[in-house]
Amino acid sequence: MERGGYIIDLGLLDYQKAWDLQHRLWSRRVEGELPDLLLILEHPHVITLGRRGNRSHLIASPEVLEAMKIPILHVERGGDVTYHGPGQMVVYPILDLKEYGYRLIRYIGQLEEVILCVLKDAGIEGRRDPLNRGVWVDGEKIASVGVAIKRWVSFHGFSLNYETNLKYFELINPCGLKGKKMTTMAKILGTEISRERLIERISFHFKQIFERDWKEKDLKDLIADGRLKLSTKYKSDRVISH
């Protein structure tokens, strides 16, 4: 397999569909049928529970969540409970970590470094917390990291709040942390955030840290050249509205 990689902007994609897609791409990366991949996308409203996920950290009742049409999924990523929704950039690297010589802790640190660099470009000083992974700004969390690694190939990844509606985090104890608040780039800067510029900065810093010959691709390109077989249900909605 070539030492290259594909960056794919999936737009707005349902969490379950994106989860299924990750598994398909992970399998093909394990078999060497695809190079490293970086998926960048947003999800409609959803709450996910990681391996340490505890339903006691759901503040809203199942009835309230059902009425709000917010599904809950238990997934294999690390971490506890989190919320995904429009205005939050989600990044799923599907990497063969053997080729980088990375262990889990270093890999998580490198993902945090990508986030820190992106925030610095915007004039925001983020910081790490070794007890609570992710990135923080003035005591509030702006980005969460939760990964899975099987057969040395990663999936899941990180989420960065850029224009997220923070009221949805009130439905949970984010990452299982009581009393902690979430924040967004837009809230800190008091201005709108360009999605296109944000994707460009994420891609740039990812390329700097995870050195490969990265190329932008569309999912349909992989289907067209026979490297991936998927049904049309994976077509994303490119119109992002908050």
Side-chain angles (χ1 to χ4, degrees):
M1 176 56 62
E2 69 268 25
R3 291 179 63 82
Y6 299 154
I7 299 174
I8 304 174
D9 177 5
L10 293 173
L12 184 69
L13 186 61
D14 173 80
Y15 190 93
Q16 181 70 60
K17 293 178 182 178
W19 190 17
D20 292 343
L21 177 60
Q22 282 191 81
H23 280 267
R24 288 172 178 261
L25 295 173
W26 170 87
S27 177
R28 281 153 180 77
R29 183 66 190 101
V30 167
E31 298 301 324
E33 298 170 2
L34 285 172
D36 284 348
L37 301 162
L38 181 66
L39 310 182
I40 303 177
L41 64 155
E42 296 182 43
H43 293 303
H45 304 298
V46 65
I47 290 172
T48 68
L49 294 157
R51 289 192 301 270
R52 294 188 290 107
N54 191 326
R55 284 183 175 264
S56 68
H57 292 142
L58 295 172
I59 296 174
S61 68
E63 292 76 19
V64 167
L65 295 174
E66 184 176 356
M68 295 177 71
K69 299 187 183 332
I70 300 179
I72 303 171
L73 293 98
H74 207 135
V75 300
E76 67 275 80
R77 64 162 173 80
D80 203 293
V81 61
T82 196
Y83 158 81
H84 297 302
Q88 181 192 78
M89 199 64 68
V90 180
V91 178
Y92 295 138
I94 302 176
L95 313 177
D96 186 338
L97 296 181
K98 295 193 303 296
E99 298 186 6
Y100 298 91
Y102 287 173
R103 298 292 181 177
L104 175 61
I105 296 302
R106 187 183 176 201
Y107 174 56
I108 292 174
Q110 297 292 67
L111 294 181
E112 290 173 338
E113 186 65 22
V114 172
I115 300 164
L116 290 168
C117 290
V118 170
L119 292 176
K120 189 174 182 179
D121 287 347
I124 299 173
E125 195 67 33
R127 69 171 183 84
R128 292 182 171 94
D129 180 345
L131 297 179
N132 297 297
R133 304 312 296 249
V135 174
W136 301 73
V137 178
D138 296 329
E140 296 182 330
K141 197 168 190 180
I142 195 168
S144 300
V145 177
V147 304
I149 299 173
K150 293 182 179 179
R151 296 176 64 181
W152 289 100
V153 174
S154 67
F155 55 117
H156 293 284
F158 70 81
S159 58
L160 171 61
N161 301 327
Y162 72 99
E163 288 184 349
T164 322
N165 188 333
L166 293 173
K167 74 175 185 179
Y168 288 96
F169 285 106
E170 297 173 5
L171 302 171
I172 62 175
N173 288 318
C175 304
L177 302 174
K178 294 182 179 181
K180 296 294 184 180
K181 298 292 186 180
M182 304 294 288
T183 191
T184 71
M185 295 175 68
K187 178 182 176 183
I188 294 167
L189 297 174
T191 185
E192 292 183 355
I193 306 298
S194 165
R195 182 180 189 274
E196 291 71 23
R197 169 69 173 170
L198 184 57
I199 289 176
E200 188 275 325
R201 289 289 85 194
I202 290 172
S203 300
F204 174 82
H205 289 296
F206 197 88
K207 292 174 185 178
Q208 297 297 303
I209 292 172
F210 298 90
E211 296 182 1
R212 281 285 183 274
D213 180 19
W214 293 97
K215 299 177 181 177
E216 293 185 2
K217 285 274 188 178
D218 194 290
L219 190 61
K220 66 183 180 182
D221 295 333
L222 302 187
I223 298 172
D225 67 14
R227 305 185 77 173
L228 190 64
K229 293 182 180 180
L230 295 173
S231 68
T232 55
K233 71 178 182 177
Y234 292 96
K235 182 179 179 182
S236 62
D237 181 355
R238 291 285 175 174
V239 178
I240 305 290
S241 59
H242 304 151

